[in-house]
PDB file of all heavy atoms in Angstrom:
ATOM      1  N   TYR A  74       2.786  -7.483   6.928  1.00 96.00           N
ATOM      2  CA  TYR A  74       3.874  -8.354   6.466  1.00 96.00           C
ATOM      3  C   TYR A  74       3.833  -8.300   4.945  1.00 96.00           C
ATOM      4  O   TYR A  74       2.849  -8.735   4.334  1.00 96.00           O
ATOM      5  CB  TYR A  74       3.662  -9.775   6.970  1.00 96.00           C
ATOM      6  CG  TYR A  74       4.754 -10.747   6.562  1.00 96.00           C
ATOM      7  CD1 TYR A  74       5.729 -11.144   7.461  1.00 96.00           C
ATOM      8  CD2 TYR A  74       4.812 -11.268   5.265  1.00 96.00           C
ATOM      9  CE1 TYR A  74       6.737 -12.030   7.096  1.00 96.00           C
ATOM     10  CE2 TYR A  74       5.813 -12.146   4.889  1.00 96.00           C
ATOM     11  CZ  TYR A  74       6.772 -12.527   5.800  1.00 96.00           C
ATOM     12  OH  TYR A  74       7.766 -13.394   5.428  1.00 96.00           O
ATOM     13  N   ALA A  76       6.624  -9.170   2.722  1.00 95.00           N
ATOM     14  CA  ALA A  76       7.659  -9.945   2.023  1.00 95.00           C
ATOM     15  C   ALA A  76       6.977 -11.073   1.244  1.00 95.00           C
ATOM     16  O   ALA A  76       6.812 -12.190   1.747  1.00 95.00           O
ATOM     17  CB  ALA A  76       8.670 -10.495   3.011  1.00 95.00           C
ATOM     18  N   ASP A  78       7.554 -13.116  -1.310  1.00 96.00           N
ATOM     19  CA  ASP A  78       8.178 -14.421  -1.538  1.00 96.00           C
ATOM     20  C   ASP A  78       8.466 -15.154  -0.235  1.00 96.00           C
ATOM     21  O   ASP A  78       8.231 -16.362  -0.120  1.00 96.00           O
ATOM     22  CB  ASP A  78       9.466 -14.251  -2.342  1.00 96.00           C
ATOM     23  CG  ASP A  78       9.202 -13.867  -3.793  1.00 96.00           C
ATOM     24  OD1 ASP A  78       8.201 -14.348  -4.357  1.00 96.00           O
ATOM     25  OD2 ASP A  78       9.983 -13.074  -4.350  1.00 96.00           O
ATOM     26  N   ARG A  79       8.965 -14.444   0.752  1.00 97.00           N
ATOM     27  CA  ARG A  79       9.290 -15.077   2.030  1.00 97.00           C
ATOM     28  C   ARG A  79       8.047 -15.608   2.734  1.00 97.00           C
ATOM     29  O   ARG A  79       8.117 -16.562   3.520  1.00 97.00           O
ATOM     30  CB  ARG A  79      10.040 -14.079   2.928  1.00 97.00           C
ATOM     31  CG  ARG A  79      10.902 -14.745   3.986  1.00 97.00           C
ATOM     32  CD  ARG A  79      11.961 -13.820   4.533  1.00 97.00           C
ATOM     33  NE  ARG A  79      11.407 -12.687   5.255  1.00 97.00           N
ATOM     34  CZ  ARG A  79      11.652 -11.417   4.946  1.00 97.00           C
ATOM     35  NH1 ARG A  79      12.433 -11.127   3.909  1.00 97.00           N
ATOM     36  NH2 ARG A  79      11.128 -10.435   5.650  1.00 97.00           N
ATOM     37  N   ALA A  80       6.908 -15.004   2.424  1.00 97.00           N
ATOM     38  CA  ALA A  80       5.654 -15.436   3.045  1.00 97.00           C
ATOM     39  C   ALA A  80       5.325 -16.887   2.717  1.00 97.00           C
ATOM     40  O   ALA A  80       4.658 -17.569   3.507  1.00 97.00           O
ATOM     41  CB  ALA A  80       4.509 -14.534   2.578  1.00 97.00           C
ATOM     42  N   GLU A  81       5.804 -17.374   1.593  1.00 97.00           N
ATOM     43  CA  GLU A  81       5.540 -18.766   1.220  1.00 97.00           C
ATOM     44  C   GLU A  81       6.140 -19.735   2.235  1.00 97.00           C
ATOM     45  O   GLU A  81       5.640 -20.856   2.401  1.00 97.00           O
ATOM     46  CB  GLU A  81       6.106 -19.047  -0.180  1.00 97.00           C
ATOM     47  CG  GLU A  81       5.450 -18.245  -1.295  1.00 97.00           C
ATOM     48  CD  GLU A  81       3.960 -18.530  -1.424  1.00 97.00           C
ATOM     49  OE1 GLU A  81       3.581 -19.721  -1.507  1.00 97.00           O
ATOM     50  OE2 GLU A  81       3.170 -17.561  -1.427  1.00 97.00           O
ATOM     51  N   ASP A  82       7.179 -19.309   2.931  1.00 97.00           N
ATOM     52  CA  ASP A  82       7.799 -20.127   3.976  1.00 97.00           C
ATOM     53  C   ASP A  82       7.374 -19.693   5.381  1.00 97.00           C
ATOM     54  O   ASP A  82       7.269 -20.526   6.282  1.00 97.00           O
ATOM     55  CB  ASP A  82       9.332 -20.055   3.871  1.00 97.00           C
ATOM     56  CG  ASP A  82       9.853 -20.678   2.579  1.00 97.00           C
ATOM     57  OD1 ASP A  82       9.327 -21.737   2.181  1.00 97.00           O
ATOM     58  OD2 ASP A  82      10.754 -20.087   1.972  1.00 97.00           O
ATOM     59  N   GLU A  83       7.123 -18.398   5.550  1.00 97.00           N
ATOM     60  CA  GLU A  83       6.760 -17.863   6.868  1.00 97.00           C
ATOM     61  C   GLU A  83       5.243 -17.672   6.955  1.00 97.00           C
ATOM     62  O   GLU A  83       4.739 -16.565   7.154  1.00 97.00           O
ATOM     63  CB  GLU A  83       7.499 -16.553   7.125  1.00 97.00           C
ATOM     64  CG  GLU A  83       9.008 -16.746   7.164  1.00 97.00           C
ATOM     65  CD  GLU A  83       9.777 -15.468   7.462  1.00 97.00           C
ATOM     66  OE1 GLU A  83       9.220 -14.372   7.263  1.00 97.00           O
ATOM     67  OE2 GLU A  83      10.945 -15.574   7.892  1.00 97.00           O
ATOM     68  N   VAL A  84       4.543 -18.778   6.830  1.00 97.00           N
ATOM     69  CA  VAL A  84       3.082 -18.740   6.743  1.00 97.00           C
ATOM     70  C   VAL A  84       2.459 -18.236   8.047  1.00 97.00           C
ATOM     71  O   VAL A  84       1.604 -17.343   8.046  1.00 97.00           O
ATOM     72  CB  VAL A  84       2.527 -20.130   6.391  1.00 97.00           C
ATOM     73  CG1 VAL A  84       0.998 -20.108   6.342  1.00 97.00           C
ATOM     74  CG2 VAL A  84       3.098 -20.615   5.061  1.00 97.00           C
ATOM     75  N   GLU A  85       2.882 -18.801   9.168  1.00 98.00           N
ATOM     76  CA  GLU A  85       2.296 -18.419  10.449  1.00 98.00           C
ATOM     77  C   GLU A  85       2.538 -16.940  10.763  1.00 98.00           C
ATOM     78  O   GLU A  85       1.636 -16.241  11.243  1.00 98.00           O
ATOM     79  CB  GLU A  85       2.866 -19.293  11.576  1.00 98.00           C
ATOM     80  CG  GLU A  85       2.379 -20.735  11.535  1.00 98.00           C
ATOM     81  CD  GLU A  85       2.848 -21.521  12.751  1.00 98.00           C
ATOM     82  OE1 GLU A  85       3.371 -20.908  13.710  1.00 98.00           O
ATOM     83  OE2 GLU A  85       2.689 -22.757  12.741  1.00 98.00           O
ATOM     84  N   LEU A  86       3.740 -16.472  10.481  1.00 97.00           N
ATOM     85  CA  LEU A  86       4.052 -15.072  10.730  1.00 97.00           C
ATOM     86  C   LEU A  86       3.225 -14.160   9.833  1.00 97.00           C
ATOM     87  O   LEU A  86       2.735 -13.106  10.274  1.00 97.00           O
ATOM     88  CB  LEU A  86       5.552 -14.821  10.507  1.00 97.00           C
ATOM     89  CG  LEU A  86       6.054 -13.399  10.784  1.00 97.00           C
ATOM     90  CD1 LEU A  86       5.794 -13.004  12.235  1.00 97.00           C
ATOM     91  CD2 LEU A  86       7.538 -13.284  10.448  1.00 97.00           C
ATOM     92  N   SER A  87       3.061 -14.552   8.576  1.00 97.00           N
ATOM     93  CA  SER A  87       2.259 -13.764   7.638  1.00 97.00           C
ATOM     94  C   SER A  87       0.838 -13.590   8.151  1.00 97.00           C
ATOM     95  O   SER A  87       0.289 -12.479   8.158  1.00 97.00           O
ATOM     96  CB  SER A  87       2.221 -14.433   6.255  1.00 97.00           C
ATOM     97  OG  SER A  87       3.507 -14.571   5.721  1.00 97.00           O
ATOM     98  N   TYR A  88       0.230 -14.694   8.594  1.00 98.00           N
ATOM     99  CA  TYR A  88      -1.143 -14.636   9.085  1.00 98.00           C
ATOM    100  C   TYR A  88      -1.241 -13.905  10.425  1.00 98.00           C
ATOM    101  O   TYR A  88      -2.224 -13.217  10.698  1.00 98.00           O
ATOM    102  CB  TYR A  88      -1.730 -16.041   9.198  1.00 98.00           C
ATOM    103  CG  TYR A  88      -2.321 -16.535   7.890  1.00 98.00           C
ATOM    104  CD1 TYR A  88      -1.538 -17.217   6.965  1.00 98.00           C
ATOM    105  CD2 TYR A  88      -3.656 -16.312   7.583  1.00 98.00           C
ATOM    106  CE1 TYR A  88      -2.067 -17.656   5.764  1.00 98.00           C
ATOM    107  CE2 TYR A  88      -4.202 -16.757   6.391  1.00 98.00           C
ATOM    108  CZ  TYR A  88      -3.408 -17.429   5.478  1.00 98.00           C
ATOM    109  OH  TYR A  88      -3.940 -17.859   4.275  1.00 98.00           O
ATOM    110  N   VAL A 137       0.491 -17.098  -0.330  1.00 98.00           N
ATOM    111  CA  VAL A 137       0.288 -16.907   1.109  1.00 98.00           C
ATOM    112  C   VAL A 137       0.084 -15.438   1.448  1.00 98.00           C
ATOM    113  O   VAL A 137      -0.798 -15.087   2.247  1.00 98.00           O
ATOM    114  CB  VAL A 137       1.484 -17.480   1.902  1.00 98.00           C
ATOM    115  CG1 VAL A 137       1.386 -17.109   3.383  1.00 98.00           C
ATOM    116  CG2 VAL A 137       1.551 -18.988   1.732  1.00 98.00           C
TER     117      VAL A 137
END
Side-chain angles (χ1 to χ4, degrees):
Y74 181 103
D78 289 325
R79 204 161 65 237
E81 296 299 309
D82 295 319
E83 297 182 339
V84 178
E85 289 186 11
L86 182 60
S87 300
Y88 275 89
V137 172

